Amino acid sequence: NSEENFWFKSKNDLIKIFFKKFKKKDLKILSIGAGTGRELKVLNEFGEVFVIEINKKALDLISKELCQNKKQGDVQNLPFSKDFFDIVLASDVLEHVNDDKKAVNEIQRVLKKEGTFIFTVPAHQFIFSSHDKALGHKKRYSKEELKQLTKKFKKVEINYWNFFLSPIVILKRILNKDSKPEVDKITLPKTIDTLFYRIMSLENGLIARDMHLPFGITLFGICKK
């Protein structure tokens, strides 16, 4: 099951680390582009979860038990009133959007004063490859672009994730740069998958202690309104 592989488990662990920093447990949370809802189990520990997903098929797969409310919709035009959410999570969403500036403005609009926007995006345009094309990515981001994109927020923290395994991924992406669009398969032998998960867990442990990694193939942001 691909949802059990090291990448998805590590990303859920990372999301949990971010949410543990909020002391409240009755947060109003919006998950944008929740896909089939693998992160929702984590979010439910922290409050009421609302879901927006553009893909109807993916939305139908999300169990009603995992969210308060689910709607088909677009991040560039959110169907919620302003100052509604404590937290908005967009995990690997912005790279799919035509107008990311409009999307971020919409997110800011629906956040309460002092609300938080949490996101992850793929980093480094130089490794934009057949994998990105297959996933429908418009681009990969730099720290500078993200700082520009989130400049209306009061406090912004942008850092790297997936540092230790980045050389393997970068090599693979550069080799596949011009091949036909195809998603990198992450089906690994159990022993390798477990090893990679341990490496990512070590990295998540450093992030939990507020350590900043020098490089990585993913960028995450925590932005305070």
Side-chain angles (χ1 to χ4, degrees):
N1 181 353
S2 71
E3 298 195 8
E4 286 308 304
N5 74 36
F6 79 93
W7 173 259
F8 293 119
K9 286 199 305 198
S10 308
K11 201 149 130 224
N12 272 353
D13 292 348
L14 182 70
I15 288 167
K16 199 166 193 169
I17 287 164
F18 297 152
F19 273 79
K20 277 186 169 165
K21 293 188 189 295
F22 301 97
K23 297 290 174 264
K24 285 165 71 182
K25 279 279 195 276
D26 55 351
L27 299 160
K28 252 202 174 82
I29 303 161
L30 175 62
S31 171
I32 298 175
T36 54
R38 65 170 72 87
E39 70 207 17
L40 300 179
K41 289 189 182 83
V42 174
L43 303 186
N44 269 282
E45 297 174 33
F46 298 94
E48 276 188 329
V49 182
F50 294 71
V51 169
I52 277 286
E53 171 56 59
I54 205 160
N55 182 326
K56 176 81 169 71
K57 280 186 180 148
L59 194 68
D60 290 343
L61 290 172
I62 296 173
S63 155
K64 285 200 170 77
E65 273 78 76
L66 288 175
C67 56
Q68 186 73 17
N69 177 303
K70 57 176 186 171
K71 292 182 183 181
Q72 187 176 8
D74 184 345
V75 60
Q76 296 164 103
N77 187 17
L78 292 170
F80 297 102
S81 55
K82 65 186 188 98
D83 308 329
F84 193 77
F85 294 104
D86 296 296
I87 300 177
V88 174
L89 173 69
S91 176
D92 293 343
V93 170
L94 295 177
E95 68 273 18
H96 294 273
V97 176
N98 287 320
D99 188 342
D100 53 6
K101 198 170 179 205
K102 195 175 176 191
V104 172
N105 284 342
E106 270 293 88
I107 288 164
Q108 191 170 30
R109 179 183 68 77
V110 300
L111 272 173
K112 292 177 185 174
K113 192 178 185 299
E114 302 293 319
T116 305
F117 170 37
I118 299 171
F119 67 86
T120 62
V121 290
H124 311 298
Q125 187 61 20
F126 79 90
I127 54 166
F128 190 93
S129 70
S130 59
H131 172 77
D132 294 283
K133 287 176 200 156
L135 287 171
H137 293 174
K138 311 281 183 220
K139 65 194 289 193
R140 299 180 72 94
Y141 286 85
S142 69
K143 266 188 173 185
E144 282 318 305
E145 282 172 303
L146 292 172
K147 281 177 185 159
Q148 196 55 30
L149 196 58
T150 55
K151 66 177 188 221
K152 287 185 180 170
F153 284 86
K154 199 167 64 183
K155 187 175 173 230
V156 175
E157 189 191 322
I158 292 162
N159 290 305
Y160 288 111
W161 184 62
N162 202 341
F163 165 64
F164 294 119
L165 296 176
S166 62
I168 302 168
V169 180
I170 288 169
L171 184 63
K172 189 167 173 27
R173 298 285 161 82
I174 287 171
L175 292 173
N176 291 350
K177 210 164 179 61
D178 300 316
S179 55
K180 68 178 195 328
E182 194 181 354
V183 176
D184 288 352
K185 297 283 185 288
I186 325 184
T187 317
L188 297 166
K190 189 85 184 99
T191 48
I192 306 276
D193 193 84
T194 304
L195 174 67
F196 282 6
Y197 180 64
R198 286 196 178 140
I199 291 168
M200 295 297 281
S201 297
L202 173 70
E203 196 164 301
N204 281 342
L206 297 174
I207 289 169
R209 293 182 189 86
D210 294 322
M211 289 174 80
H212 298 172
L213 301 166
F215 185 82
I217 55 155
T218 297
L219 279 158
F220 67 83
I222 300 171
C223 314
K224 193 93 166 168
K225 185 170 166 178

